[in-house]
Amino acid sequence: MTSLKLSVQIAWVHLVTKPKQTLIAMLGVTFGIGMFIAMVSMMTGLNDLTESLAMTSSPDIRIYHDVTTERKSIAEELNLNGITKVHHQKPKNESLKVRGAVKIAEQIRKHPLVKGASVLLNSQVFYNYGPVQLNGTIAGVDILEEDKLFDLKSKMKEGQIENLITNQDGILMGTGLAKKLSVRTGDRVVITTPQGFTKTLKIVGLFQMGIGAVDNVKSYANLGMVQTILEKEKSYITDVNVKLYDFKQAKAVAPEFQQAFGYKSEDWETANATMLLGVIIRNILTYSVAITLLIVAGFGIYNILSITIHNKMKDIAILKAMGFAGKDVKQIFMVQSLVIGFFGSLLGLLIGFVLSLLISRAPFDGGDFLSIEYLPVNFSSTYYMIGIVFGIVTTALAGYLPSRKAANIDPIEILRG
Amino acid sequence: MAVLKAHKISKYFYEPEKFQVLKEVDLSVDKGQFLALVGKSGCGKSTLMYVLSTMDTQYNGELEIAGTRLTDKHQNFLAGFRNKHIGFVFQFHYLLPEFTVLQNVMLPALKLGSKSKEEIEAKALEKLNILGMQEHARKMSSKLSGGQQQRVAIARALINDPDIIMGDEPTGNLDTYNSDLVFDIFSELTHTYKQTIIAVTHDESFAKRSDRVVEMSDGKIIHG
């Protein structure tokens, strides 16, 4: 029989003869790990949802003409040798048109990282239905190209995207906007452009991206029709949308396009910065709370082992007299803390899983902002791995100091009485 | 033949002030001897026994047990040595309360690890039988009376067939009946099994009946 096996047996007897104490120490770890799992699962679930919504509702890269970009003033251009400063520059009255947009899109499609590119025309409009008047946007698109990028077919709640092709004066409306206007498929709405042009359009379908910022304001229409109501020429395009094979490379690729075409090129992370900031803050919160819980559990274990060792001074002395070395005694108490840590963590994972399951079944109304019925929960095994590793490491650390104390106890001091 | 040889053992206490508790003590113990170490409180007899037991390593001089020089050896080596060569019986019996009688007796042998669990169990039962405790083997050790616990402690001390059994006031906490019992056991062990025993004691009747009485005073052996 090896020395370790004997240490494990003695440790085991210690644990089972004081079941209440063992259980309390274990529950400390269980609670810490369980809450960690539940919190991380919920937070990352929410983060993943936010990220995927940000992804589906906006292109990986959007190329447009940014009229607010800083430009050289005339004074600077004329006074080359002097020092000129123009304060509070007013944006130049420029057209939002992206020149040669179709050619740009063609070139972008040849890029090896690009999955697809489409051109569109975005404009602010008023939607009127009876007395209701709402501010929103309209996007003139080639609906089939748009579908390739955003998988619109799967987002349709009523009607089909092909209806737009057969019906030149049709529009596909966001569900949120339709609800606000209280219109249904087949109804006719009147739209008014900022220039005062008015046109009656027929709703041929409703889509839902799942994110209020889009569904509550946006409609799709045919490119040619939007060009007509804005009284613009056939080449008038305001945006080129780009989808990459790997959306994570958007930030790296975007400046490349800006350089090549001379138009503002914005990646999805920049466009959804506020939304993604929430992700970062939630992560910080989750991890700080989880780590605090585990540290508290660690102190609990330290405390209970310290008391155990204090109560077992005589036993430790007798073990040492009988020929157990300091390291054997240390082993006995390390085994105890590791058993507490392992089973406590394991139970914690189970409780964390059950909690996550309950959370994922809890009805939750995302309101206008997010269209979800239940809280999103991430069941990724990564967090369960982190949980058990962290649980065992904390308990090992919490057990080490008291164990070392036990190893260094001088038996004579105790045996002399 | 001497199983234990101590040469010029000196030891100091530094708290509360420097004090020489052992003054160049020489002692030689023969195999099969039942030795009682007596003296007044504070004469250094317990301190000497703990030096002889290898648990106290803070001393000057030379110590040899069963032909092995033990001075200046590492703690872990000494722990292993105690396990194999020395058995202990203390005043307050010191059984591990969470374990059964049998488990308590088996522990030092399991630690030594030179036999299978079955062999150790058979041997532990044999030792318990010598001490008349076999019927209590499966009981929790905390359920026994003081005298019974002390007999189990003796069985535990015997499990690895040690060269020496050391006792620190082994009868100090027992009534006359149990004291006599423990003494009879010690006598039988020395005479029947040639077991060497060194016991520190206050008990005069206990000392009188041993083979050899070593009396100490002021850190020196004054008799024996």
Side-chain angles (χ1 to χ4, degrees), chain A residues 98-118:
Chain A
V98 175
R99 285 174 205 281
V102 178
K103 279 228 169 67
I104 288 175
E106 265 170 31
Q107 278 193 40
I108 285 173
R109 281 188 199 112
K110 286 176 193 158
H111 194 283
L113 295 174
V114 173
K115 192 177 167 193
S118 72

Side-chain angles (χ1 to χ4, degrees), chain A residues 1 3 6 9-10 13-14 17 312 314-315 318-328 411-412 414-416, chain B residues 11 13 47 50 55-56 76 79-80 82-83 88 90 94-99 107-108 110-111 113 117 156 168:
Chain A
M1 179 176 298
S3 172
L6 185 58
Q9 283 184 349
I10 294 173
V13 170
H14 282 175
T17 47
K312 295 223 176 300
K314 277 186 178 177
D315 293 12
I318 201 78
L319 283 171
K320 284 184 169 180
M322 287 189 320
F324 284 74
K327 70 170 172 43
D328 299 318
I412 314 168
I414 297 146
L415 295 175
R416 265 197 197 124
Chain B
K11 181 174 171 66
F13 283 158
T47 309
Y50 282 114
M55 279 199 275
D56 190 344
N76 289 346
R82 282 199 295 277
N83 186 227
F88 286 97
F90 297 98
Y94 289 129
L95 296 179
L96 304 181
E98 298 94 346
F99 294 82
L107 264 180
L110 292 171
K111 171 61 192 163
K117 200 176 174 187
R156 185 178 63 188
D168 185 3

